[in-house]
Amino acid sequence: MDRIRITGGGPLEGTIPISGAKNATLPLMIASLLTSDTLTLKNVPNLADVGLLARILGNHGVDLTIAGKRPGQRSGEGDTMHLTARDIVDTTAPYEMVSRMRASFWVLGPLLAREGQACVSLPGGCAIGTRPVDLHLEGLTKLGAQIELESGYVHAKAPKGLAGGRITFPKVSVGATHNVLMAAVLAKGETVIENAAREPEVSDVAQCLVKMGAKIEGIGTSTLTIQGVDELSGAVHPVLPDRIETGTYAMAVAATGGDVLLDNARPDLLESALDVLSGAGVELTVTNRGLRVVRNGARLAPVDVETEPFPGFPTDLQAQLMALMARADGQSRIRETIFENRFMHVQELARLGADIELEGDTALVTGVNTLHGAQVMATDLRASVSLVIAGLVAEGETVINRVYHLDRGFEQIEQKLTNCGAQIERLAA
Ligand code: UD1
């Protein structure tokens, strides 16, 4: 298994191109199941999760091609992907695949809407809490699906097709919103989804569905109203830039000090996190190319943050913020409200010398003067990158084991950081 070795200490200087968002790319790829025409996605990041989903969709009959980059194209300017689901050849998504990536569970809604049936394994993904799928199943049931659970599989049927309904989610769920939205666009009549996730990736998918002929109102709000249509057509859609990658590199620069332009970033999608960073003393400037992040010298002020659904502070940046605050000038309080058990990075950060105390869903992070390099283990996607940030500021050498988690969600991370002066390299197994 690959490892990453980082020699910490230096500032980051230069430009980092921000890739297309993983969390938009995955549901956009899945949306291709809704039409027999070709869906073309641009700015697709080259990530392990994208490759895995491509294989899963291939099983269902999606013909998928990726046009490579043209010579001279910037790295980070993603690939163009063509997906054509002319015929659905298999409505089963097997355990071997779904257990490796939670988002692949979202094929359930589109398969059910188009084929009237689907059999999808219960999901896997990052080991961050129980992550049930009750909201997905309740939502699809409101659209008329008959659902049974058997041997770890969801068997769903809608022999006469899905019909519109009113769904009020008791809790905000990105995945359940994707699943129900993608089913509702082909259901007969009107569907109203209340307390829908407002994450920009949900809006990106909704906008792509509209290009494909779907009728959706309220995009970007917590109430989505959908008028079902008989069929959808193809479309061309660029994936929006990754706000989590943007926030991650902003925190990396805030941690090491330096001056970096996050090229192609969309700061408007990340206001809550950027407010936290500027409150802590990081200099942020929105430019016509993206976001410039500068920090010189002084230690950062501590923060008091709770994770929340969008537009609040994203849970996907919680681990990175903790790594950053490990060297702040005082004690930070970071509360995780979305996932239980999303603190597995704490013990690894402690190996580097961080002073973090856990009290239930809250971490109290007391800034220390110095972190020291050590051997650490990547436990999930966002936790892994928090270790990269800590490794970049730690004195001496940090080796991160099990980096395959990083490859699931961060495109060319070593290269992007090396180009800005970091000493980071992959050690092949
Ligand atoms: C998505 C993101 C993930 C992000 C998360 C929250 C993708 C590929 N993944 O994950 O990066 O951290 O949103 O912003 O986009 N829940 C239930 N029942 C359900 C579904 C969810 O109780 O049926 C709970 C979960 O356990 C969790 C909360 O709802 O506590 C939010 O989960 P959800 O928004 O569904 O996360 P994902 O869609 O899995």
Side-chain angles (χ1 to χ4, degrees), residues 135-158:
L135 302 175
H136 300 239
L137 303 186
E138 275 166 34
L140 294 172
T141 305
K142 291 259 169 63
L143 300 184
Q146 298 159 12
I147 292 181
E148 283 174 21
L149 292 182
E150 206 186 299
S151 312
Y153 277 80
V154 176
H155 296 264
K157 271 193 232 154

Side-chain angles (χ1 to χ4, degrees), residues 22-24 26-27 49 101-106 124 128-138 169 171-178 197 199 201 243-244 308-310 314-317 336-340 342 381-382 408:
K22 170 183 91 80
N23 285 358
L26 302 176
D49 271 8
M101 185 186 31
R102 182 175 166 90
S104 57
F105 184 73
W106 307 343
I128 50 171
T130 49
R131 302 185 90 176
V133 290
D134 53 323
L135 302 175
H136 300 239
L137 303 186
E138 275 166 34
F169 284 124
K171 183 174 192 178
V172 177
S173 163
V174 171
T177 305
H178 280 310
E199 268 63 6
E201 295 76 21
R243 68 194 163 99
I244 302 302
E308 283 171 313
F310 189 84
T315 175
D316 285 349
L317 287 174
E336 172 59 56
T337 73
I338 309 289
F339 293 108
E340 77 251 37
R342 198 174 205 182
L381 173 54
R382 311 301 176 185
R408 293 185 43 208

Side-chain angles (χ1 to χ4, degrees), residues 113 136 138-145 161-169 176-196 214-219 221-229:
H136 300 239
E138 275 166 34
L140 294 172
T141 305
K142 291 259 169 63
L143 300 184
L162 295 172
R166 176 171 285 267
I167 292 128
T168 305
F169 284 124
T177 305
H178 280 310
N179 223 336
V180 174
L181 174 64
M182 287 194 276
V185 290
L186 287 182
K188 282 194 184 62
E190 180 176 280
T191 297
V192 178
I193 307 178
E194 285 175 340
N195 203 22
K215 297 204 162 72
I216 307 171
E217 278 173 25
I219 296 174
T221 75
S222 53
T223 304
L224 296 171
T225 306
I226 302 120
Q227 308 293 339
V229 295

